[in-house]
Amino acid sequence: MDICRRVDITTKLCDVAQQRNCEDMIKMFQLELATAKNDMNRHLHEYMEMSSMKHGLDVQMETCRRLITQSGDRYQNYICIIKRIWEDFFTSFQKQSI
C-alpha cells in the first residue's frame, strides 16, 4: 500500500508540475500575443501615415504634370504664333520683291 501511495503522490506532483508548466506557457503565449497585437497596431498606424503621405505626393506630382503640360502647350502655341508671323512676313517679303 505504501508503494501505491507513493506512486499516486508522485503522479499528482507530476500533474501539478505539468499544470504549472502549462499555465506558465499560456502566460508566455498571452504576453507574446499582446506584444504582437501592439506591433501590428503600430505597423498599421505607420502604414496609414505612409499611405496618406503617398497620396499627398501623388496629388502634388499630378499637379506638377498638369502645370508642365499646360506650360508646354502654351509654349507650343507661342511657337505656332511666331511661326505664322514669320511665314506671313516671309510671304509678304517675297511678294514685294517680285
Side-chain angles (χ1 to χ4, degrees), residues 54-82:
K54 181 190 177 298
H55 177 71
L57 290 172
D58 288 342
V59 168
Q60 286 181 355
M61 286 172 48
E62 184 60 31
T63 301
C64 288
R65 279 191 195 109
R66 287 183 183 173
L67 288 173
I68 289 170
T69 302
Q70 289 172 358
S71 66
D73 290 345
R74 276 188 257 138
Y75 179 71
Q76 289 296 326
N77 288 339
Y78 292 138
I79 290 175
C80 289
I81 291 169
I82 292 170

Side-chain angles (χ1 to χ4, degrees), residues 13 18 21 26-27 33 35 37 44 49-50 56 59-60 70-71 73 75 79-82 87 91 93 98:
L13 286 174
Q18 191 175 19
N21 188 24
I26 289 172
K27 288 178 184 177
L33 179 62
T35 302
K37 284 181 179 181
L44 177 63
E49 283 182 19
M50 295 284 188
V59 168
Q60 286 181 355
Q70 289 172 358
S71 66
D73 290 345
Y75 179 71
I79 290 175
C80 289
I81 291 169
I82 292 170
E87 287 173 352
T91 305
F93 181 75
I98 295 180

